[in-house]
Amino acid sequence: MLDPQFDADGNLIHLLSTEGLSREQLTRLLDTGASFLGVSDRDVKKVPLLRGKSVFNIFFENSTRTRTTFEIAAKRLSADVINLNMSTSSTAKGETLLDTVDNLCAMHADMFVVRHESSGAPHLIVDHLRRTGRSDIHVINAGDGRHGHPTQGLLDMYTIRHYKGGFEGLKVALIGDILHSRVARSDIHALKTLGAESIRVVGPQTLIPTDIESLGVEVHRDLDSGLKDCDVVIALRLQRERMSGALLPSATEFHDRYGLTHERLKAAKPDAIVMHPGPMNRGVEIDSAVADSPRAVILPQVTFGIAMRMAVMSVLAGG
Amino acid sequence: MSAKSIEIRSGRVIDPASQFDEAASVFIADGKIVGIGQTPAGFKADQVIDAQGLVVAPGLVDLSARIAGNIDAELAAAVAGGVTTLACPPDVDPILDEPELAERLVRHAEDVSQVRVLPVGAMTQGLAGSMLAEMSLLRDAGCIAVSQGRGLPPDTRVLWRALQYAASCDVPVWLQPAEYHLSKEGIAHDSALASRLGLAAIPVAAETLAMQTVLALAKATGARVHFTQISSAEGVALLREARDAGLPVTGDVAAHALHLYEQDIGYFDPLTRFDPPLRGYGDREALRLGLAEGTIGAAVSAHTPLGLDVKRVPFAEAAPGATGIELLLPLTLAWGEALSLPLRRSLLPVTARAAEILGIEAGQIAVGQRADLCIFDPEATWTVQENDLRSAGKLTPFLGRTLQGRVITTLAGGQPVYQRS
């Protein structure tokens, strides 16, 4: 079965996952992102690459931050951007996802940026577009269930490359809720392809997916061993509803075992950077003292995110 | 399309029960088989069906086909698939928890077709898992067994009481082994694939725990238990162990699970969403072997006609199941082919052995038996397409696949009820 992200010639026409992208494709996206970084510093923060194109942000799951960065990215490429909050739209009145897509197609959309609570929802849209002969409309996965968040993965890779110069020999630790994290999956696939030496996932067994080792990662139950000699530490958001009940005894216990503090970070390399996809739970997965320290590159991640989303949109549009 | 006496001439007659496999004619009168090979004295055929080059097999017996919604379409699909006896699980709309509903279903099937529909009544009212359904009255209304539909009730005490009560009125209990809490939120087999795709998982332990619980309670209560749609290698091993120990338990497997496994989910194909989920490659192999050795008695279609609306959604939101009754024969033949079994053995799990689980006379070709027959071309290949399916549900992961073995004629109660044009 062909990866639906690619056309018959192997060109990237949708971005659904970082899995399946070659090292060359990932590098090209990162390089293109680098070329867009300067746009934000200009007086006129626009380039005309998507002029006349319509980008629809279809968010079935709320996320102001991600939606805003996609909106800014599209506008800086001169696209017309239409934001749809699907929680208050016709979908909430019973219209199906694909009916919504059909309607937006009829409005001559050129690109869909989709966030959905179900893993695989963007794949369904791509399959539908293919079946209905509209493969010229590009789909970007802005986060689907637990599956993927490829633009976050790319901006994380950009951040790592920016601060570490490359991926060879790097040791990277992802900490916390791997089970529910689409960011973790996207980062793992990209890191693997880009040649990181060691990718570790750190957390209690309740938050580590079955056989995750098959993706090429090491599993650590203990934070100190997971952080040992790491170059990059990525703390993942722990959602409140998972802090009690059967997944974790409490936020306090999680913080005690896996919370990033300066003390615990001593196990990592002295120049290790700390990343977080946001929004953060201060005092749970990360201490404020760490989040606000010079080691944390959390705000640059956001800045890079806009450039990387511009890169994805322009590459998909043939730029 | 009715005839009183029929000669099915010169087909390859296969009776899996007796292992009979010879070119012969079959003679039918008054709905029964009156002769095989030799023309009975005084027999005069009103109709002759030429079966040269075709296999004349018993009408298929399907232990799980959801006959709901457009019932007539599903009965038409059944006969197009060569199925002449089927058991309908209770988790249809409306839920089969009232004797009148079961009676109505049986009567309707008799009115529009000669297909024998044997309802499986609900074990608990509304399948809610708390109050026992009227098992005895359901049996009197024609139910062959009672079942909780998919999975076990959340409260094991209710299961215990249900098995006690079923045993006391001699009603078999059919259970799809899935521990309630371990399976209720899952949508895929717990494995590296589910982890990669980010799909909530159902561990194999959900099946093994359920089977162990049921077996313990069956021993204690004396209930007759049949496990439906076993999905894992561990499940097969548990069933084998229980049967070796002499427990009167049986099991079946969905025909699709003999061919598909978790990798067939591909890129989130909603058509491959099943309950129980498609499991690993090793599980599929164990299911194939378990069926061949007879540990698992029957292959079932798990026919679930679903509309497009419940499948044109993301994988996690898709309703589980697929249309299947018209694919039961070719999928069973393909299983036999994969294991190099002779035809007469390939047909056992969808004929005599399935009938044995039901405890009825069916699935055989023998003089004196009701003339339920499936005449098929074992060499015919066909590509599964929506337009060719008679069921109201057109969705199956086998769409576009080429299968071998096609039903040409079906007779139910001595009446030709399907003829492929």
Side-chain angles (χ1 to χ4, degrees):
Chain A
M1 188 183 294
L2 289 176
D3 187 331
Q5 298 187 104
F6 304 109
D7 67 13
D9 299 323
N11 299 310
L12 191 69
I13 51 170
H14 308 288
L15 183 70
L16 306 179
S17 172
T18 51
E19 187 181 19
L21 269 59
S22 66
R23 187 183 291 214
E24 292 69 31
Q25 283 164 324
L26 285 168
T27 304
R28 182 190 170 202
L29 286 166
L30 298 182
D31 291 345
T32 308
S35 74
F36 285 126
L37 264 180
V39 173
S40 303
D41 297 328
R42 296 182 197 161
D43 278 349
V44 179
K45 298 182 176 62
K46 270 187 192 292
V47 288
L49 286 170
L50 291 189
R51 183 179 289 157
K53 303 287 184 190
S54 299
V55 175
F56 282 71
N57 281 330
I58 327 173
F59 276 55
F60 294 87
E61 198 180 61
N62 287 329
S63 167
T64 307
R65 181 190 313 224
T66 302
R67 188 187 52 70
T68 304
T69 54
F70 270 107
E71 182 177 351
I72 293 169
K75 284 183 171 166
R76 289 196 179 154
L77 292 169
S78 307
D80 297 319
V81 185
I82 299 94
N83 291 315
L84 294 157
N85 181 355
M86 303 314 289
S87 60
T88 56
S89 76
S90 43
T91 301
K93 297 171 193 160
E95 186 174 85
T96 69
L97 167 60
L98 296 184
D99 285 339
T100 301
V101 166
D102 285 339
N103 274 290
L104 300 180
C105 288
M107 296 175 203
H108 301 289
D110 295 293
M111 198 173 279
F112 292 135
V113 177
V114 182
R115 168 164 286 201
H116 200 284
E117 65 272 19
S118 287
S119 302
H123 291 75
L124 181 81
I125 294 172
V126 165
D127 183 57
H128 181 68
L129 293 175
R130 185 182 57 77
R131 285 171 192 269
T132 51
R134 290 171 297 191
S135 293
D136 55 323
I137 301 176
H138 306 285
V139 177
I140 298 173
N141 179 3
D144 63 326
R146 308 173 180 187
H147 167 247
H149 195 353
T151 57
Q152 177 74 42
L154 287 168
L155 78 87
D156 284 352
M157 295 311 108
Y158 187 87
T159 307
I160 292 170
R161 193 175 78 168
H162 179 83
Y163 286 99
K164 294 294 167 188
F167 298 90
E168 303 294 334
L170 277 192
K171 297 182 177 70
V172 182
L174 293 125
I175 299 160
D177 187 356
I178 313 296
L179 181 68
H180 299 94
S181 176
R182 47 199 175 204
V183 176
R185 286 167 178 79
S186 292
D187 282 353
I188 289 167
H189 294 311
L191 285 165
K192 191 77 194 154
T193 304
L194 289 167
E197 180 185 306
S198 157
I199 309 164
R200 296 122 179 232
V201 294
V202 188
Q205 193 168 345
T206 49
L207 297 180
I208 304 288
T210 300
D211 290 338
I212 192 75
E213 294 90 337
S214 66
L215 299 186
V217 303
E218 299 166 22
V219 174
H220 290 259
R221 306 263 178 257
D222 173 70
L223 184 59
D224 293 333
S225 77
L227 286 178
K228 190 170 165 40
D229 298 330
C230 263
D231 302 281
V232 177
V233 181
I234 303 174
L236 297 169
R237 173 174 162 75
L238 194 67
Q239 290 180 21
R240 295 259 163 209
E241 63 270 23
R242 294 180 184 129
M243 294 177 202
S244 59
L247 285 171
L248 290 172
S250 70
T252 308
E253 179 156 323
F254 180 82
H255 183 69
D256 184 59
R257 288 194 69 196
Y258 299 105
L260 274 185
T261 62
H262 277 307
E263 187 59 31
R264 306 299 294 269
L265 269 173
K266 284 179 183 165
K269 284 185 181 163
D271 62 346
I273 56 169
V274 174
M275 296 165 57
H276 191 296
M280 287 182 285
N281 290 301
R282 290 170 180 263
V284 181
E285 67 263 8
I286 190 165
D287 264 6
S288 279
V290 173
D292 299 332
S293 74
R295 315 181 75 162
V297 295
I298 297 164
L299 290 176
Q301 281 180 271
V302 178
T303 306
F304 297 150
I306 293 170
M308 282 315 305
R309 284 167 181 136
M310 289 171 73
V312 170
M313 289 178 179
S314 69
V315 166
L316 294 184
Chain B
M1 212 168 56
S2 71
K4 209 165 165 78
S5 57
I6 300 173
E7 178 185 352
I8 300 168
R9 189 172 288 168
S10 304
R12 178 183 168 189
V13 178
I14 298 180
D15 178 43
S18 63
Q19 299 289 290
F20 181 89
D21 182 354
E22 286 177 21
S25 294
V26 177
F27 303 93
I28 297 163
D30 296 325
K32 293 192 183 259
I33 296 168
V34 294
I36 301 167
Q38 296 285 337
T39 311
F43 182 90
K44 189 172 178 306
D46 299 323
Q47 184 185 352
V48 174
I49 296 171
D50 181 8
Q52 199 142 28
L54 304 177
V55 169
V56 181
L60 306 191
V61 179
D62 185 358
L63 300 186
S64 179
R66 292 184 170 86
I67 300 297
N70 186 344
I71 292 177
D72 294 0
E74 303 320 315
L75 293 171
V79 294
V83 174
T84 53
T85 302
L86 62 87
C88 176
D91 52 350
V92 290
D93 184 17
I95 289 170
L96 297 176
D97 63 350
E98 291 176 22
E100 296 73 27
L101 293 170
E103 256 169 23
R104 206 183 305 158
L105 181 61
V106 173
R107 213 168 38 239
H108 183 83
E110 278 171 1
D111 287 348
V112 300
S113 164
Q114 292 290 310
V115 174
R116 278 193 286 182
V117 173
L118 306 169
V120 178
M123 188 176 82
T124 57
Q125 292 176 28
L127 294 175
S130 50
M131 307 277 287
L132 299 188
E134 295 169 330
M135 297 184 197
S136 181
L137 294 175
L138 284 165
R139 183 201 53 205
D140 294 346
C143 288
I144 198 86
V146 292
S147 167
Q148 185 59 20
R150 295 186 165 109
L152 300 188
D155 185 340
T156 306
R157 192 177 176 82
V158 171
L159 176 66
W160 178 41
R161 295 299 189 202
L163 290 172
Q164 281 181 324
Y165 192 82
S168 69
C169 44
D170 200 26
V171 175
V173 181
W174 290 17
L175 293 165
Q176 183 176 312
E179 197 278 333
Y180 179 82
H181 296 285
L182 283 182
S183 53
K184 71 173 176 178
E185 284 167 6
I187 45 176
H189 173 52
D190 186 26
S191 69
L193 183 87
S195 297
R196 184 166 66 79
L197 295 182
L199 297 173
I202 304 175
V204 164
E207 181 163 293
T208 49
L209 273 178
M211 288 181 73
Q212 285 166 337
T213 301
V214 170
L215 287 167
L217 294 175
K219 260 195 254 184
T221 60
R224 282 189 289 146
V225 170
H226 172 71
F227 289 115
T228 67
Q229 292 193 52
I230 290 169
S231 69
S232 68
E234 284 189 36
V236 178
L238 263 176
L239 182 62
R240 185 185 297 118
E241 203 177 289
R243 287 172 63 82
D244 287 350
L247 279 177
V249 291
T250 50
D252 67 47
V253 59
H256 63 250
L258 297 169
H259 300 285
L260 305 175
Y261 68 111
E262 58 168 349
Q263 293 291 341
D264 288 297
I265 291 173
Y267 293 99
F268 304 97
D269 181 359
L271 296 184
T272 59
R273 170 91 200 275
F274 286 101
D275 184 12
L278 297 176
R279 295 210 179 269
Y281 184 82
D283 294 305
R284 190 192 72 174
E285 294 309 289
L287 293 169
R288 286 180 166 192
L289 293 173
L291 186 65
E293 73 189 12
T295 298
I296 299 174
V300 306
S301 73
H303 178 67
T304 306
L306 294 170
L308 207 53
D309 292 346
V310 294
K311 283 289 191 186
R312 285 174 82 220
V313 292
F315 184 87
E317 298 167 24
T323 195
I325 203 160
E326 291 161 89
L327 309 181
L328 180 60
L329 177 73
L331 292 182
T332 306
L333 295 178
W335 157 76
E337 182 78 23
L339 271 68
S340 303
L341 300 177
L343 259 183
R344 59 182 186 278
R345 281 199 59 204
S346 300
L347 291 168
L348 255 181
V350 286
T351 55
R353 283 210 314 232
E356 199 180 318
I357 290 168
L358 286 170
I360 62 166
E361 278 197 0
Q364 292 184 45
I365 298 182
V367 172
Q369 286 270 343
R370 184 180 137 105
D372 288 346
L373 297 168
C374 164
I375 303 171
F376 67 91
D377 182 348
E379 304 299 330
T381 56
W382 58 293
T383 302
V384 183
Q385 289 174 327
E386 289 183 34
N387 291 343
D388 281 350
L389 299 173
R390 293 188 161 210
S391 167
K394 307 290 185 190
L395 301 175
T396 158
F398 293 99
L399 281 174
R401 289 211 196 184
T402 299
L403 303 176
Q404 188 170 343
R406 188 129 215 212
V407 176
I408 305 297
T409 306
T410 304
L411 289 93
Q415 299 294 318
V417 289
Y418 172 74
Q419 176 65 51
R420 179 161 175 72
S421 50

